[in-house]
Amino acid sequence: MDKFNIAIDGPAGAGKSTIARLVAGALGFVYVDTGAMYRAVTWKVQQEGLLPDQETEVAALANRMKIELIPGEEGQQVFVDGVDVTKAIRTTAITDHVSQIASYGAIRQLLVTLQKQMAISKGVVMDGRDIGTHVMPDAEIKVFLTASVKERAERRFKEMQNNGTCTLTLSELEQDIARRDQLDQEREISPLRRAHDAVLMDSTSMTIEEVVDEILGLCKDKVGGGK
């Protein structure tokens, strides 16, 4: 089997995007950051002056907008209606509302349809909250990547400090991540949960390289390793 799909799920701040991008690069596969798609909708909602709880209007807006995920030298670039929003969608203002936007059935149906289309040709590494359970239930490799709330908050805090988007204290960030966990787990549509056949991977005490190596090991053992 030359190409196969990899689903990486897990809570906020678990390092899914970084890990998925590195795994895709190592295998020569396409990386799809589904979280960026929900952030892109949230960004557009704010640009249009809508409130996150205006569900009908938000859904209509999402159906009109065009989201593009384009591989770049520094990672995946995100465009909304031709505008590069790669950095803009990573701000606290977006993070505060993305879980609410992602809970709407119409939004999830729209984006999941796009994500399923991306996965048809195989050779895709996709990360999110419901990839193994809903978007790619037939993915050959499924990983549920997690870490303690404290560890995830510390990682996100360092990341935000490095890119100049940090507006919260470490304690506030820890509370925010715990809040997002609850929202993601309790939403009615496609809640965050581990697929029955997903490998649980706790990265609290692992380096990025160790996590990537372990996932590549799963690929080699199960499907022969890609290209």
Side-chain angles (χ1 to χ4, degrees):
M1 185 182 296
D2 292 329
K3 287 187 176 182
F4 52 91
N5 288 335
I6 303 173
I8 302 178
D9 289 306
K16 300 183 301 296
S17 297
T18 299
I19 298 301
R21 176 169 50 81
L22 292 171
V23 168
L27 295 172
F29 284 8
V30 175
Y31 165 52
V32 179
D33 177 1
T34 63
M37 299 173 75
Y38 290 99
R39 285 176 173 272
V41 174
T42 307
W43 178 85
K44 189 68 173 180
V45 166
Q46 293 183 358
Q47 291 296 302
E48 294 294 315
L50 295 177
L51 297 175
D53 58 2
Q54 293 179 275
E55 184 173 353
T56 301
E57 292 83 355
V58 167
L61 176 62
N63 275 283
R64 295 195 304 269
M65 63 187 284
K66 180 181 180 181
I67 302 173
E68 296 175 282
L69 305 180
I70 301 175
E73 292 183 2
E74 298 181 1
Q76 183 176 259
Q77 290 181 289
V78 184
F79 288 82
V80 173
D81 296 331
V83 178
D84 186 347
V85 299
T86 307
K87 291 185 178 179
I89 62 173
R90 299 298 172 181
T91 63
T92 302
I94 301 299
T95 301
D96 286 346
H97 299 292
V98 66
S99 288
Q100 182 176 358
I101 297 296
S103 72
Y104 295 148
I107 302 297
R108 298 206 73 85
Q109 183 177 11
L110 173 67
L111 297 188
V112 166
T113 298
L114 293 175
Q115 292 156 13
K116 284 179 176 289
Q117 290 172 353
M118 294 175 183
I120 289 175
S121 60
K122 299 286 187 175
V124 165
V125 182
M126 197 176 291
D127 75 281
R129 302 290 195 280
D130 60 348
I131 309 305
T133 56
H134 192 58
V135 180
M136 298 197 305
D138 297 325
E140 288 81 356
I141 301 291
K142 296 181 186 179
V143 174
F144 191 88
L145 183 64
T146 189
S148 68
V149 171
K150 178 177 172 57
E151 177 65 22
R152 286 186 279 137
E154 289 177 351
R155 291 175 184 173
R156 184 60 60 86
F157 187 68
K158 290 177 182 177
E159 178 186 346
M160 295 173 75
Q161 280 185 317
N162 290 337
N163 60 28
T165 60
C166 190
T167 58
L168 300 175
T169 65
L170 180 58
S171 177
E172 289 172 335
L173 197 53
E174 192 169 335
Q175 292 174 13
D176 184 62
I177 285 178
R179 177 187 64 84
R180 288 184 63 194
D181 283 355
Q182 185 173 7
L183 285 172
D184 290 338
Q185 291 166 0
E186 294 180 353
R187 69 184 181 214
E188 292 185 14
I189 301 172
S190 297
L192 170 66
R193 61 182 177 85
R194 174 187 171 192
H196 70 91
D197 53 349
V199 175
L200 178 62
M201 203 170 293
D202 189 329
S203 69
T204 302
S205 301
M206 298 174 71
T207 65
I208 291 173
E209 292 76 14
E210 287 172 338
V211 176
V212 171
D213 285 346
E214 189 158 335
I215 294 176
L216 292 176
L218 290 174
C219 295
K220 186 176 181 180
D221 292 342
K222 191 164 187 177
V223 293
K227 64 179 181 180

